[in-house]
Structures are given as structure tokens and as C-alpha cells.
Amino acid sequence: MDRNTYFCGEILNINFHMSNRSSKTIRFLPQMVRRTAFKKEYIYLESQELIASNYADPCLENSSQSDIVFIPIPFDCLPTIDCPLIEITYSISLFVDISDSTEHFDEIPIYIK
């Protein structure tokens, strides 16, 4: 990713390189996630919502792949907010889809204006 602040309606570009040394086909799967937290005194309620995702082309066994995955940020996306009563944050969760399972390996915070 070339930056960490984006506007609603923009397209987020994720450059990646992966080496698959296994005997299974794998796929890179980034997901844009919104976390909303409501805070009041001793009450803290949090929810998590998948906003957008996009699979990369499969990376075949014993090969490597470099590519760009595009994730559109919705036009009606709420901005990042951090105030005493509510907190809205976003991140790009990075997964690798390996045959019949999905492995989470990183999370990158982003800001929406």
C-alpha cells in the first residue's frame, strides 16, 4: 500500500509478492474491515464488519506471484472517528486462502476521511 489515509470512493491498491513452496494452490485475500466501538462509562460494545474484499489470482504450487489487488472503498463509508462516545476504525486484514482453510497473517490500520 502506498499510503494509509484514503477517501470514500477511492480504490485501494495492495501490491504483494508471495512464494508458494507448498504442494497446494494458495490465494492472497485482503479484506477491508470496520470496527465500531460504543463507549460509555463502564460499558464497551464493539462490532466488526467486513466492508470489502478481493481475491488475487491463484498462486500454484511451487511457484511465486507478484500482483496488485484492488479494493474499492464504498462511497457511503463512514470516516475514521475517535471521540469519547464512539470509535470507528478501519484496517486491511491480510489472509492467505490455502485449499480448505484461511490463515490470517497481518493487519494494517488505515484512515478514512
Side-chain angles (χ1 to χ4, degrees), residues 9 34 73 96:
R34 175 174 50 218
I73 299 172
V96 174

Side-chain angles (χ1 to χ4, degrees), residues 31-94:
Q31 298 180 342
M32 181 179 169
V33 176
R34 175 174 50 218
R35 287 181 185 80
T36 305
F38 297 97
K39 308 176 279 185
K40 186 175 180 187
E41 296 180 16
Y42 300 106
I43 301 171
Y44 186 86
L45 300 171
E46 184 177 62
S47 67
Q48 182 172 305
E49 179 183 3
L50 175 64
I51 301 298
S53 65
N54 195 357
Y55 270 107
D57 290 333
C59 183
L60 302 176
E61 53 275 346
N62 297 309
S63 67
S64 59
Q65 176 183 3
S66 293
D67 206 349
I68 300 173
V69 174
F70 303 100
I71 296 181
I73 299 172
F75 285 98
D76 59 351
C77 209
L78 297 170
T80 299
I81 297 173
D82 187 8
C83 70
L85 296 177
I86 189 170
E87 180 180 271
I88 298 175
T89 59
Y90 293 90
S91 65
I92 300 298
S93 293
L94 304 175

Side-chain angles (χ1 to χ4, degrees), residues 25-29 55 95-103:
T25 298
I26 63 175
R27 289 177 81 154
F28 178 63
L29 173 61
Y55 270 107
F95 295 88
V96 174
D97 196 7
I98 306 169
S99 294
D100 58 352
S101 69
T102 303
E103 300 290 327

